[in-house]
Amino acid sequence: MIYVSRTEHFNAAHKLNNPNWSQSKNQEIFGPCANANWHGHNYDLIVTVKGKPDPETGFVIDLKKLSTLIRENIIKKVDHKNLNLDVEFMEGKLASTENLIIEFWNILAPKIEKIASPASGAKLHSLKLYETPRNFVEYYGE
């Protein structure tokens, strides 16, 4: 099995806020991330696809097509946006990196299988989302 990865970048603002809690509890639990005036991150998203090289192209997946897919379906929707207010797929969800990566998976997994060559059997293997250079989450689906 071959694992192929593509990294994309975006900037977004958010705040961590549980509407069922008081402002003081949100501050206690989330600290500066509960700032009423938001805060931002420079995110890096790493998308890893697994499969076998297609005998005709040698590709597990065409990285140009993968990049276009990620940019059209994820980056355009989140880049320079407020994750709490501007991103439809995050509506009603706490804008944590953990919840964000699950939504990214739900969007990308079926689309990756559609652009992959049937001979490669390529599937989304994992997502890694860096919120800061030292804080990141990984997701492998359900």
Side-chain angles (χ1 to χ4, degrees):
M1 191 66 59
I2 304 289
Y3 298 84
V4 179
S5 298
R6 172 72 188 186
T7 300
E8 297 288 346
H9 179 82
F10 66 95
N11 304 302
H14 74 142
K15 71 176 172 182
L16 297 178
N17 179 68
N18 184 327
N20 299 317
W21 295 348
S22 67
Q23 183 58 29
S24 61
K25 183 168 182 178
N26 275 294
Q27 286 289 337
E28 176 189 333
I29 301 299
F30 300 126
C33 295
N35 182 341
N37 293 317
W38 318 97
H39 68 283
H41 296 285
N42 299 312
Y43 292 91
D44 285 310
L45 173 63
I46 302 171
V47 177
T48 301
V49 175
K50 68 179 178 180
K52 297 179 181 177
D54 180 297
E56 292 184 15
T57 65
F59 296 161
V60 168
I61 193 160
D62 182 326
L63 286 172
K64 184 176 177 185
K65 287 181 182 179
L66 180 61
S67 177
T68 299
L69 181 89
I70 298 164
R71 284 186 280 114
E72 291 294 320
N73 292 279
I74 302 293
I75 305 305
K76 280 187 175 181
K77 294 178 180 181
V78 297
D79 190 34
H80 287 84
K81 302 284 197 257
N82 181 311
L83 300 174
N84 299 77
L85 302 176
D86 301 329
V87 179
E88 188 176 310
F89 59 79
M90 290 301 292
E91 190 174 314
K93 298 174 181 77
L94 188 68
S96 67
T97 307
E98 293 88 338
N99 285 335
L100 190 58
I101 203 168
I102 291 168
E103 294 306 314
F104 288 176
W105 181 280
N106 292 338
I107 292 166
L108 292 174
K111 294 180 183 310
I112 286 172
E113 290 184 31
K114 287 182 182 174
I115 66 163
S117 135
S120 73
K123 294 183 185 296
L124 183 56
H125 172 70
S126 67
L127 297 177
K128 187 181 287 189
L129 182 60
Y130 281 85
E131 185 178 69
T132 73
R134 292 185 300 263
N135 297 333
F136 64 92
V137 297
E138 289 182 88
Y139 188 60
Y140 295 87
E142 291 295 322

